[in-house]
Amino acid sequence: MGDRWTLLIIRELLLQGPCRFTDLKNGLPGVAANLLSTRLRELEDVGLITRTDAPPPVATVLYELSDTGLALQRVLKELGLWGLRFMSDERPGDAFRAEWLAYAPEWFTTDADPGGRPAVIQLVAGDELAVIELGDGDVHTRLGRATDPDLTLEGTPRAILGLLSGLIDLETARRLGLSTSGQLDLLNRLHPIEQDQERTPDRRQPPRPADRDPAHHRGPAGPESPAQTKTMQDKLPS
């Protein structure tokens, strides 16, 4: 499991479902075809994936997670949740795909108003499009464009995902190029899943005066001892 690309292959199969070899290669920018073939063979040997010959019109081999492989979803979610703290570090040459824009809200946020009306949020990051659907207390996502979204968030992946995951507030996201149209109050419903996230001082948002409770600090200049994730309502300007 610790070999390079192995967990990323499992992630792609979790996100896309049964895949052709070319689907996996396109979803893993930078992987060499021979290395991908090796990793797929190793995963099949240990029973984490299966391969089937799909009938026409596909007429090619499809790779799919076995029940044992599907059980790794919880592990991948926890790793992804841990990795959110590094999302604000943007590096030249980073690749991004629409599938990643879509899965993050579904994996890492909850609906803070389960009884609220159904709502649709359109996410636009360059040519990558994804849709968040809120309803019955669930957060669902899909690729594509919504017909009549209640809210549209458009900007860089860093700005959109940083805002939705609670890493940055709306003001910071706008400085990173985020534009919005529609019902901003819907952001209040997307509550980041709590995570034990120690942020460096330059990333942490300054606490509001009401949050300066001595019981929650190590000292006058010390960091907060409990790393708590605020709701989107705390992050919207009043």
Side-chain angles (χ1 to χ4, degrees):
M1 293 299 297
D3 290 335
R4 188 182 182 192
W5 297 105
T6 298
L7 285 177
L8 296 180
I9 293 169
I10 293 172
R11 180 201 66 190
E12 288 302 301
L13 291 171
L14 280 170
L15 297 180
Q16 299 190 53
C19 288
R20 299 170 301 175
F21 184 89
T22 52
D23 297 329
L24 288 170
K25 192 172 187 311
N26 291 336
L28 298 167
V31 67
N34 60 339
L35 181 55
L36 178 57
S37 296
T38 299
R39 293 290 178 263
L40 289 171
R41 185 169 59 251
E42 292 169 347
L43 288 169
E44 185 179 3
D45 289 344
V46 297
L48 292 179
I49 68 171
T50 61
R51 51 183 292 167
T52 57
D53 293 320
V58 178
T60 188
V61 172
L62 289 180
Y63 297 91
E64 185 175 5
L65 289 172
S66 66
D67 289 342
T68 304
L70 287 170
L72 288 168
Q73 182 175 28
R74 183 174 179 180
V75 176
L76 268 293
K77 283 187 176 182
E78 290 297 325
L79 283 173
L81 192 61
W82 172 82
L84 285 177
R85 70 195 73 197
F86 304 112
M87 189 178 295
S88 59
D89 297 330
E90 191 168 358
R91 299 174 298 178
D94 279 351
F96 187 79
R97 292 182 56 83
E99 289 87 352
W100 307 340
L101 185 68
Y103 89 84
E106 184 165 338
W107 278 20
F108 305 133
T109 64
T110 59
D111 188 350
D113 184 13
R117 64 174 182 80
V120 175
I121 301 173
Q122 177 74 61
L123 308 180
V124 182
D127 295 331
E128 310 292 358
L129 303 174
V131 177
I132 300 175
E133 297 171 334
L134 301 173
D136 298 324
D138 295 323
V139 178
H140 294 294
T141 58
R142 60 179 174 84
L143 301 179
R145 186 180 293 277
T147 303
D148 187 21
D150 301 290
L151 172 65
T152 298
L153 304 177
E154 183 169 0
T156 64
R158 178 187 179 196
I160 294 174
L161 297 181
L163 176 65
L164 297 180
S165 62
L167 281 172
I168 59 176
D169 60 17
L170 183 58
E171 180 181 351
T172 303
R174 282 174 168 160
R175 288 200 299 268
L176 293 173
L178 181 77
S179 63
T180 64
S181 62
Q183 304 172 29
L184 273 178
D185 61 306
L186 287 177
L187 290 176
N188 299 343
R189 289 179 60 176
L190 288 173
H191 186 285
I193 293 176
E194 293 190 8
Q195 52 193 298
D196 181 15
Q197 180 167 284
E198 291 290 342
R199 302 180 190 172
T200 55
D202 59 319
R203 292 180 191 165
R204 182 182 300 148
Q205 299 300 318
R208 300 171 301 167
D211 295 329
R212 296 184 182 275
D213 181 354
H216 294 283
H217 291 73
R218 296 177 186 170
E224 295 177 354
S225 54
Q228 298 176 335
T229 303
K230 299 179 181 299
T231 64
M232 285 299 170
Q233 189 170 12
D234 292 330
K235 299 180 184 298
L236 289 174
S238 56

